[in-house]
């Protein structure tokens, strides 16, 4: 079915217009005898005028129509939408032509609206069947190339809404209204809100007046509020200049706020960095101070250690010197005592010496009941005070005739044997041995050996 056809004399006839767009009455084409040779504008096959049960005027193909005529596939819904668009355009005072083909067939407008002064043309496309985004973009460009504005109209939920200039309409109680996508910008909430419902004729009027234009929504605002709880994404919508300005102002404000926030963050970051740097400087200074402190302590320890080393060295040197002095003194003393003992020993003969040993042996026998006795010969032995050591059972028991100046060398408690009482008194008289310690015999005084 179609709303237009070719009349053999009048040319293009439009069933939606009372004068068919060419000054002819409907009755002159509808049910007239003989039949008028009307032709399909698409395929050239014969068509005839018809009226639907609801009073809709249109043209239908005669029997034997070609199967590939594009208008065959157009549904009643499509046709009704086209008619609604044409009717709305005509209500605004603009001219509306149906099924208009562009130069070289570049496009075919369902409804081509033309302004009264003929300066503007807007194609209203009732797109009922599915079409890809690429196809609809391509077809939009074809219109634009011929300086024809276009708006695609769908009664369903097409995926291309907002991709090309487009609207979604609904019919309610005979009135067609736009429900998607004209929107208003609400500055306070910074969001677009979909216009619930706008009469198609009012929408067309605004598009023609350019009080609403197809507007590409700024990226931040593409979630369009549909109701208090729902929203829908749109890349572009129809909007008033005031709303577009409000969106731009809001975007400007948002950017200023973001810039300010960014600036604050940068300042805070700079402050944090400066503080961190200051802390690092302080830490560095503290490390240097501790290092210096340790170095100073080590220097002090080194100084102390050196002093201590010198002190010990000095002490050792003194100790060695003192030892040497003591050793020299000891040797000198020993020499003196050894010299002295020579005279002391010279006082008795070897015979007397043997007799004395016999007496000691007897003394030991009486006391210790042993004859295991051993004499260490008198000589320059300072250890026994230059006397003869008496060992009984391998223990130092006593000393025979120790030299008086050397008595201090005897171990305490050893028995000291003397020749007689006079010699015993002489030994005790030195104060180095006690009277109880001394055992004397009754030998006569030492011979004057020097006289022998
Ligand atoms: Zn046809």
């Amino acid at each position: 079915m179609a709303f237009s056809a070719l009349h053999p004399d009048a040319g293009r006839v439009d069933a939606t217009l009372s004068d068919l767009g060419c000054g002819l009455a409907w009755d002159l084409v509808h049910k007239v005898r003989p039949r008028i040779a009307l032709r399909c504008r698409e395929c050239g096959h014969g068509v005839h005028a018809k009226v639907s049960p609801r009073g809709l005027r249109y043209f239908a193909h005669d029997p034997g129509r070609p199967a590939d005529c594009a208008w065959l596939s157009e549904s009643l819904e499509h046709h009704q939408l086209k008619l609604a668009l044409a009717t709305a355009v005509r209500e605004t005072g603009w001219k509306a032509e149906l099924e208009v083909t562009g130069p070289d067939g570049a496009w075919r407008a369902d409804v081509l609206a033309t302004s009264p002064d003929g300066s503007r043309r807007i194609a209203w496309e009732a797109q009922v069947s599915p079409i890809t985004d690429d196809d609809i973009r391509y077809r939009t460009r074809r219109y634009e190339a011929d300086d024809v504005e276009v708006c695609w109209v769908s009664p369903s939920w097409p995926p291309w809404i907002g991709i090309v200039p487009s609207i979604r309409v609904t019919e309610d109680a005979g009135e067609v209204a736009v429900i998607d996508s004209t929107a208003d910008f609400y500055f306070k909430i910074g969001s677009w809100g979909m216009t619930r419902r706008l009469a198609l004729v009012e929408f067309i009027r605004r598009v023609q007046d350019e009080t609403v234009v197809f507007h590409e929504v700024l990226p931040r605002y593409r979630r369009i509020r549909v109701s208090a709880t729902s929203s829908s994404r749109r890349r572009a919508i129809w909007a008033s200049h005031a709303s577009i300005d409000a969106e731009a102002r809001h975007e400007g404000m948002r950017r200023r706020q973001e810039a300010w926030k960014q600036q604050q963050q940068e300042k805070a970051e700079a402050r944090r960095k400066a503080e961190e740097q200051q802390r690092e400087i302080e830490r560095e200074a503290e490390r240097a101070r501790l290092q210096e402190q340790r170095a100073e302590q080590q220097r002090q320890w080194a100084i102390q250690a050196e002093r201590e080393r010198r002190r010990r060295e000095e002490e050792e040197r003194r100790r060695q010197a003192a030892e040497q002095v003591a050793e020299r003194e000891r040797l000198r003393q020993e020499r003196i005592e050894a010299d002295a003992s020579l005279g002391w020993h010279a006082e008795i003969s070897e015979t007397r010496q043997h007799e004395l040993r016999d007496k000691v042996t007897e003394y030991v026998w009486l006391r210790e009941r042993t004859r295991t006795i051993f004499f260490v010969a008198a000589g320059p032995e300072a250890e026994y005070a230059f006397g003869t050591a008496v060992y009984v059972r391998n223990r130092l028991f006593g000393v025979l005739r120790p030299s008086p100046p050397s008595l201090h060398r005897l171990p305490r408690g050893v028995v000291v044997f003397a020749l007689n009482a006079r010699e015993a008194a002489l030994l005790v008289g030195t104060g180095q041995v006690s009277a109880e310690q001394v055992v004397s015999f009754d030998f006569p005084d030492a011979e004057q050996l020097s006289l022998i």
Side-chain angles (χ1 to χ4, degrees), residues 40 42-43 61 69:
C40 173
E42 181 72 9
C43 66
H61 284 90
C69 178

Side-chain angles (χ1 to χ4, degrees), residues 39-47 61 65-66 69-72:
R39 305 230 159 259
C40 173
R41 294 178 56 231
E42 181 72 9
C43 66
H45 191 76
V47 297
H61 284 90
R65 64 199 180 185
C69 178
W71 286 357
L72 279 177

Side-chain angles (χ1 to χ4, degrees), residues 330-346 379-383 385-387 403-406 408-409:
R330 193 183 63 76
L331 289 174
R332 195 182 63 81
Q333 182 64 29
E334 238 179 63
R335 255 194 324 275
I336 290 167
E337 288 179 30
D339 288 351
S341 72
L342 287 178
W344 174 254
H345 290 303
E381 286 287 344
E383 192 183 350
F386 301 99
S403 172
S406 301
H408 61 95
R409 295 179 185 276

